[in-house]
Structures are given as C-alpha cells and as structure tokens.
Amino acid sequence: MKIAIGSDHAGVKLKEIIKQKFTDINFTDVGTYTEESCDYPDYIGSVAREVTSGSAEMGIAICGTGIGASITANKFPGIRAALCTNCLMAEMSRRHNNANVLVLGARILGEDLALKIIQTWLSSQFEGGRHQRRLEKIAAIEKSFTK
Ligand code: RB5
C-alpha cells in the first residue's frame, strides 16, 4: 500500500518512528525533514495532493496538535481527514467516514498510542451503505463551492 506521509517540525520525530515501524508500507515522505520551524500547510498540503492525485492511496498528516493539519487537509476536495486521538476514533473514521487521511498530534499522543492508532486505522474497512450516502452529501456540499 502506498501512503503519503508528512509533518511540520513538531511531527518529524513521530514521522520517522512510523516509517521505521511499518516496513511493509510504501511511504512517500513529503517532508519536512528537520526540526527547524516551518509552516504545516506546506507539508500537509503535499500529503493531500498526493492523495487527491491518486499518487498515494491514503495519507498520514502530523503536526503538534493535529488541529492545523486537520484544517489544512480538509480544505482539499475529496479529502476526508480524521484527527484521531484513540483507536476507536481511528476505527470509526474508516468504518463510517472512509477517512483517506489520518491526522495525528505528535504533542498530544505518546509514541505507542500513535502506532496503535495507525495499526487500527490501516486494518479497518469502510462499511458503505448508509455511510456512503452521507459521504455523498458531504461531496455535494463540497461541489456546491467549486465552479
Ligand atoms: C507548531 O508550533 C504548531 O502550531 C503546529 O504543529 C500545530 O500544532 C498546529 O496546529
């Protein structure tokens, strides 16, 4: 599976840990690569573009709290980014929301919990049915703002 992963400076360490842990995943790391202060929209935008273009199947976006990354990613048409702070949220974001970007707050989560959240997210499947109808309503709202 190809996953785009990106973070600002606050998420660099966690990003490296994730890449080392999930060796079976083909990560496209869009940066940032150092702990020098940077602007999260630059890197989270790159994650979102990888997903919307189809270059990556899913994305993982990390900043300090996950809030800025979540706001940024959800500006992109077709992105359903879910900020998850526990495994139930990760599971439900796939089962009900078909989230295609997982957002993590590196300053909020311990390393072990972050890895468990990712494992849960990757192993959970979208249920479709009534949830598909709801996603289509979200897509229609999105479309109403695009020319
Ligand atoms: C960076 O200091 C911090 O603001 C950023 O990582 C994120 O938490 C924003 O939402």
Side-chain angles (χ1 to χ4, degrees), residues 8-10 40 63-65 67-68 107:
D8 69 356
H9 53 284
Y40 57 82
C63 69
T65 59
I67 296 170
R107 292 174 177 160

Side-chain angles (χ1 to χ4, degrees), residues 14 17-18 21-22 84-90 102-121:
L14 180 58
I17 290 166
I18 292 167
K21 172 78 179 176
F22 295 95
C84 298
T85 56
N86 61 48
C87 290
L88 178 61
M89 292 173 80
L102 172 64
V103 185
L104 300 171
R107 292 174 177 160
I108 304 298
L109 303 170
E111 177 188 313
D112 286 351
L113 178 55
L115 296 175
K116 279 182 190 142
I117 286 171
I118 295 168
Q119 185 58 60
T120 303
W121 192 70

